[in-house]
Amino acid sequence: MDVAALIVCSLLAAAALVAPSPRGRAAALLGALALAPVILVAHIWDSSQLETLRDRPAFAAVGVLAGLAVLAVGARVVDRRPQLFPLAAVAAIPFRVPISAGGSTSNLLLPLYLVVAAGALAYALPRLRAAGPGPGAEPEPRPGALEWLLGATLVLYAAQTAYSSDVDHALEQLVFFYVPFAALFLLLGRVAWTTELLRRCLLVLVGLAAALVLIGFYEYGTKQLLLNPKVLASNQLEDYFRVNSLFFDPNIYGRFLAIVMLGLAGVLLWARDRTDVVRTAAALALLWAGLVLTLSQSSFAALLLGLAVLGGLRWNPRRAAIGAGGLLVAGLLLVLLAPGLINLDLGDAESADNATSGRYDLIEGGVGLVGDAPVLGQGSGSFAREYRRREGASAARAASASHTIPITVAAEQGVVGLAVYLALLAAALSRLLRGASRSLPRAVVGAAFCALLLHTMVYAAFLEDPLAWALLAVGTALWRAGPPARRPRAVDVDADAVPA
């Protein structure tokens, strides 16, 4: 029953991305968002966390009605002031709340879910009531390869739960991440991204990042973490202390800081006003200090790649590629010629595993899983369980999949899923980077997506991160707006890149 419902829900979410008519997309969107929580509640209905709701149905009914009332008010606000939706979505993206479901605890973006639900109602209800597009209505954008591939990813992931050994985890991935984030992509992709709105969103992100960094400073100063006791226990075993602020993982915290820093770096590269340069540089210095305290190598690498992409789009792509290639060669030479500097013994697998924070064994085990089921994989969401079964590893050892998204995709979904994943990346990079050098906003979005992509290659969480969907959506909206008349030379010129 769970698998059939998941497939229907994913089909509705995919239809919301590619349906030809506004009414069709609106109906599919509301259907997917309504079905997803029903699937979750039905799945955990007999669990202890719903005991209160089962024993007190009147209390549950009041809670549902109160939630619907909040959504109705939110939808009304968004309908009257549409530009509040992207600002609210940006403000909600970092904040996760731990929720127990299906015997495990997931860190869920509950504030973002509320914003998405309100935005979906504001988007869908007028289109469902309308008999046609109406005079002066904007035509529905035609789906491109990216939208079709996102839809295919959703449907394939749901279908491959049919033979998964961990349906619970696959269900959580779809209900908590893929379906609501597909709605986020649809809604943000239809926002009129003016220069002023982009500036306000960046200011919101910088303000949030600065506040999170200050919390990180407090954690480092007191040597106490506010969240995630696992990180605290890890800190007690090491000579260093990693902070995670209000995130549950220092690497995800570092990823967020790196993305915001790339937005500031874009402003700095295109700025000509001295005041803008000083303010932006000061903000970058603050966020850099916060990033250093995460000790997240994956975030450092992502930031470097993003800066290289920004430099290439701003000046000369060939020189930027040469510079990035030089850094890569230098890193390889360091590993080959002086492995002792990074405590690496090239002939010792255990040394390699320690140097890569446990990734070597996870990747090696993941490759083994791919070999066991190369065509269709082990089933969606099954990596951790199948890795433990195959390698005899502990639950903690495989809790975060392979820490390398392509390996995870290949192990769980086989060659079929890997082909869809690679096609999705090609479509996304083509849309975000083609012509991006003529627009500051597009350059920043493209560089940020490249940085996030690299982070997923050496850590985890690609489509499970709302930042990926948000960057794709904003980049799509700017791409649809068309190229500006000329290449921007300063921050105040980039208004040409976005229609007012």
Side-chain angles (χ1 to χ4, degrees), residues 11-19 24-26 28-30 32 123 140 182 186 190:
L11 284 169
L12 288 171
L17 299 178
V18 301
R25 292 193 185 190
L29 175 65
L30 290 186
Y123 166 84
E140 193 74 14
L186 172 70
R190 279 149 184 77

Side-chain angles (χ1 to χ4, degrees), residues 65-86 88-89 111-126 187:
L65 291 176
L68 292 175
V70 171
L71 291 180
V73 172
R76 181 66 173 172
V77 172
V78 171
D79 183 58
R80 288 192 169 190
R81 301 189 64 183
Q83 290 194 332
L84 287 179
F85 173 76
L112 182 60
Y113 297 157
L114 293 175
V115 173
V116 169
L121 287 174
Y123 166 84
L125 293 181
L187 299 172

Side-chain angles (χ1 to χ4, degrees), residues 213 217 220 241-243 253-254 257 261 285-297 299-300 303:
V213 165
F217 288 166
Y220 188 81
F241 189 89
R242 304 181 69 188
V243 305
Y253 171 42
L257 292 181
M261 289 175 71
L286 175 65
L287 299 193
W288 169 251
L291 182 62
V292 168
L293 296 184
T294 69
L295 294 178
S296 171
Q297 299 100 318
S299 299
F300 298 149
L303 178 60

Side-chain angles (χ1 to χ4, degrees), residues 322-338 341-342:
I322 292 174
L327 290 175
L328 179 60
V329 170
L332 290 175
L333 290 175
L334 175 64
V335 171
L336 295 174
L337 301 179
L341 293 178
I342 54 175

Side-chain angles (χ1 to χ4, degrees), residues 12-323:
L12 288 171
L17 299 178
V18 301
S21 69
R23 294 187 72 182
R25 292 193 185 190
L29 175 65
L30 290 186
L33 292 181
L35 183 56
V38 172
I39 292 173
L40 175 64
V41 171
H43 183 70
I44 63 174
W45 182 252
D46 294 327
S47 63
S48 59
Q49 59 250 52
L50 291 187
E51 183 177 355
T52 302
L53 299 182
R54 292 196 305 271
D55 296 342
R56 302 173 62 185
F59 176 79
V62 170
V64 170
L65 291 176
L68 292 175
V70 171
L71 291 180
V73 172
R76 181 66 173 172
V77 172
V78 171
D79 183 58
R80 288 192 169 190
R81 301 189 64 183
Q83 290 194 332
L84 287 179
F85 173 76
L87 291 170
V90 165
I93 274 179
F95 298 108
R96 297 174 182 261
V97 179
I99 298 292
S100 296
S104 62
T105 300
S106 300
N107 301 313
L108 305 182
L109 294 130
L110 293 182
L112 182 60
Y113 297 157
L114 293 175
V115 173
V116 169
L121 287 174
Y123 166 84
L125 293 181
R127 288 164 174 79
L128 292 176
R129 290 195 297 261
E138 295 184 5
E140 193 74 14
R142 294 184 61 182
L146 178 61
E147 286 75 20
W148 283 101
L149 287 166
L150 286 170
T153 299
L154 291 170
V155 175
L156 180 63
Y157 193 89
Q160 290 181 309
T161 61
Y163 53 89
S164 173
S165 61
D166 196 350
V167 176
D168 290 353
H169 182 64
L171 183 147
E172 292 172 7
Q173 293 287 92
L174 282 164
V175 171
F176 292 150
F177 305 122
Y178 287 14
V179 171
F181 296 166
L184 178 68
F185 173 86
L186 172 70
L187 299 172
L188 288 180
R190 279 149 184 77
V191 170
W193 287 99
T194 63
T195 302
E196 180 60 22
L197 180 58
L198 288 166
R199 187 185 69 84
R200 290 180 180 179
C201 286
L202 180 59
L203 288 176
V204 169
L205 287 172
V206 172
L208 285 173
L212 292 168
V213 165
L214 293 179
I215 293 173
F217 288 166
Y218 168 81
E219 290 180 330
Y220 188 81
T222 60
K223 296 299 186 290
Q224 294 181 350
L225 298 181
L226 300 179
L227 298 172
N228 200 345
K230 291 182 180 179
V231 178
L232 182 59
S234 175
N235 281 335
Q236 293 174 347
L237 299 175
E238 304 290 350
D239 296 331
Y240 50 79
F241 189 89
R242 304 181 69 188
V243 305
N244 58 343
S245 190
L246 295 184
F247 288 76
F248 280 77
D249 190 315
N251 295 294
I252 299 299
Y253 171 42
R255 176 191 292 186
F256 175 75
L257 292 181
I259 297 300
V260 178
M261 289 175 71
L262 288 171
L264 289 171
V267 173
L268 190 64
L269 288 178
W270 267 268
R272 304 182 89 183
D273 183 84
R274 181 175 299 178
T275 302
D276 289 336
V277 170
V278 172
R279 291 175 178 174
T280 305
L284 277 170
L286 175 65
L287 299 193
W288 169 251
L291 182 62
V292 168
L293 296 184
T294 69
L295 294 178
S296 171
Q297 299 100 318
S298 53
S299 299
F300 298 149
L303 178 60
L304 284 174
L305 177 64
L307 292 174
V309 174
L310 266 181
L313 293 173
R314 178 64 178 89
W315 292 298
N316 187 304
R318 181 176 300 177
R319 291 180 181 176
I322 292 174

